[in-house]
């Protein structure tokens, strides 16, 4: 599981790339090279200069030491025109930085310093067109995922989902296109649209539906108990 520190550093690397590259940047860019697949923590594209830069974030020494991609013949440096490793201050020494890579250090105030500039790779193994497509796809997926996460985040973390009989969903009406939340039984076939002036039936097997959370008998018992206590 990704640590909070790694996630934070990855986001800061994206901000740094955006400032440097200006055109297109994304985290978690999926790459496929010589039948191997991996993700670039951050990848930025500058269309005017026709160049790509990759940042690989390392939050711990163990993470740095076990990363075989950094030292392979199809690593990040071979893929882009420039490649960096970004770490907290003092995590690795300059002597440990693989050939060709630059080193970025980030302090406790998120100030990023270039400790070593990378060497330009004149012939990346992936074309700029492919890197643009991969980065654009990752950026689009990130936007859609954030939107979906805000809409469907389960505040209960699935606490009452085991043996659930009722669920809270979000669904888009095929008639008015408005998206609302609905409390339904599990496997319910359809619901009536809540939008004012619509009331069309939404077939849940066909509509765009996301389950937000589910409720079992334990939830209803606790809810009833709380209501009874409040009425006493």
């Amino acid at each position: 599981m990704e640590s909070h520190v790694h996630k934070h550093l990855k986001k800061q690397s994206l901000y740094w790339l955006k400032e440097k590259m200006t055109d297109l940047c994304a985290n978690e860019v999926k790459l496929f090279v010589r039948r191997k697949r991996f993700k670039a923590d951050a990848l930025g594209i500058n269309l005017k200069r026709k160049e790509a830069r990759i940042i690989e974030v390392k939050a711990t020494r163990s993470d740095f030491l076990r990363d075989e991609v950094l030292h392979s013949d199809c690593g990040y440096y071979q893929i882009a025109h420039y490649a960096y490793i970004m770490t907290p201050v003092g995590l690795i020494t300059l002597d440990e930085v693989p050939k060709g890579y630059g080193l970025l250090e980030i302090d406790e105030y998120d100030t990023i310093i270039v400790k070593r500039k990378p060497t330009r790779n004149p012939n990346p193994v992936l074309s700029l067109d492919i890197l643009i497509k991969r980065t654009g796809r990752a950026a689009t997926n990130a936007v859609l995922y954030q939107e979906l996460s805000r809409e469907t985040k389960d505040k209960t973390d699935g606490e009452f989902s085991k043996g659930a009989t009722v669920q809270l969903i979000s669904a888009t009406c095929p008639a008015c296109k408005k998206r609302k939340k609905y409390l339904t039984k599990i496997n319910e076939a359809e619901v009536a649209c809540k939008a004012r002036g619509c009331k069309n039936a939404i077939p849940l097997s066909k509509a765009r539906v996301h389950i937000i959370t589910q409720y079992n008998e334990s939830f209803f018992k606790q809810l009833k108990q709380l209501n009874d206590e409040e009425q006493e």
Side-chain angles (χ1 to χ4, degrees):
M1 182 180 292
E2 184 179 28
S3 70
H4 174 74
V5 173
H6 190 275
K7 188 179 296 185
H8 176 75
L9 296 186
K10 195 167 62 179
K11 183 62 66 177
Q12 298 307 310
S13 72
L14 188 67
Y15 293 149
W16 188 85
L17 272 179
K18 176 57 183 172
E19 185 178 336
K20 295 291 181 183
M21 304 306 290
T22 71
D23 294 315
L24 179 62
C25 301
N27 287 133
E28 297 289 324
V29 180
K30 294 180 180 179
L31 301 169
F32 304 89
V33 182
R34 298 172 187 170
R35 297 184 179 181
K36 294 182 180 180
R37 61 176 63 191
F38 45 88
K39 291 180 182 178
D41 283 333
L43 200 158
I45 305 289
N46 186 294
L47 298 176
K48 184 177 181 180
R49 296 200 296 263
K50 296 183 178 180
E51 67 180 32
R53 296 178 187 245
I54 287 178
I55 296 179
E56 178 62 15
V57 171
K58 296 301 173 191
T60 64
R61 275 195 63 80
S62 59
D63 186 18
F64 169 73
L65 293 173
R66 68 170 174 259
D67 191 337
E68 298 178 356
V69 177
L70 288 174
H71 303 279
S72 72
D73 57 0
C74 58
Y76 308 107
Y77 173 70
Q78 285 74 23
I79 291 171
H81 298 93
Y82 296 96
Y84 303 81
I85 301 170
M86 191 173 89
T87 73
V89 174
L91 187 75
I92 63 175
T93 66
L94 290 177
D95 292 338
E96 293 177 295
V97 178
K99 184 179 179 180
Y101 286 83
L103 176 62
L104 304 173
E105 286 191 339
I106 181 169
D107 66 15
E108 63 269 35
Y109 301 106
D110 295 335
T111 300
I112 298 175
I113 299 173
V114 180
K115 297 293 289 186
R116 172 179 287 175
K117 293 182 178 180
T119 303
R120 179 179 172 83
N121 175 10
N123 299 302
V125 295
L126 292 182
S127 69
L128 186 64
D129 284 345
I130 290 176
L131 293 174
I132 289 173
K133 289 177 182 178
R134 294 291 180 184
T135 306
R137 185 176 298 173
T140 302
N141 289 343
V143 171
L144 295 177
Y145 176 76
Q146 289 172 4
E147 177 185 331
L148 183 60
S149 294
R150 286 194 297 269
E151 178 187 319
T152 63
K153 184 175 182 180
D154 182 2
K155 300 294 180 65
T156 72
D157 289 327
E159 179 70 23
F160 304 102
S161 62
K162 187 175 181 180
T165 57
V166 174
Q167 60 189 4
L168 178 66
I169 65 171
S170 63
T172 302
C173 175
C176 69
K177 303 303 181 185
K178 292 184 178 178
R179 193 161 182 80
K180 300 286 185 179
K181 292 181 174 62
Y182 301 89
L183 199 61
T184 73
K185 294 179 180 178
I186 300 293
N187 298 324
E188 191 163 347
E190 63 180 37
V191 294
C193 179
K194 288 182 177 180
R196 183 178 298 179
C198 183
K199 307 305 180 185
N200 278 277
I202 303 175
L204 299 181
S205 61
K206 296 180 179 180
R208 187 167 70 92
V209 175
H210 290 101
I211 298 173
I212 299 172
T213 192
Q214 296 177 319
Y215 305 103
N216 56 19
E217 191 64 29
S218 174
F219 170 81
F220 293 115
K221 285 181 179 179
Q222 292 181 46
L223 185 63
K224 184 178 184 304
Q225 183 179 355
L226 290 171
N227 285 333
D228 291 344
E229 290 174 356
E230 188 173 331
Q231 293 173 7
E232 289 178 357

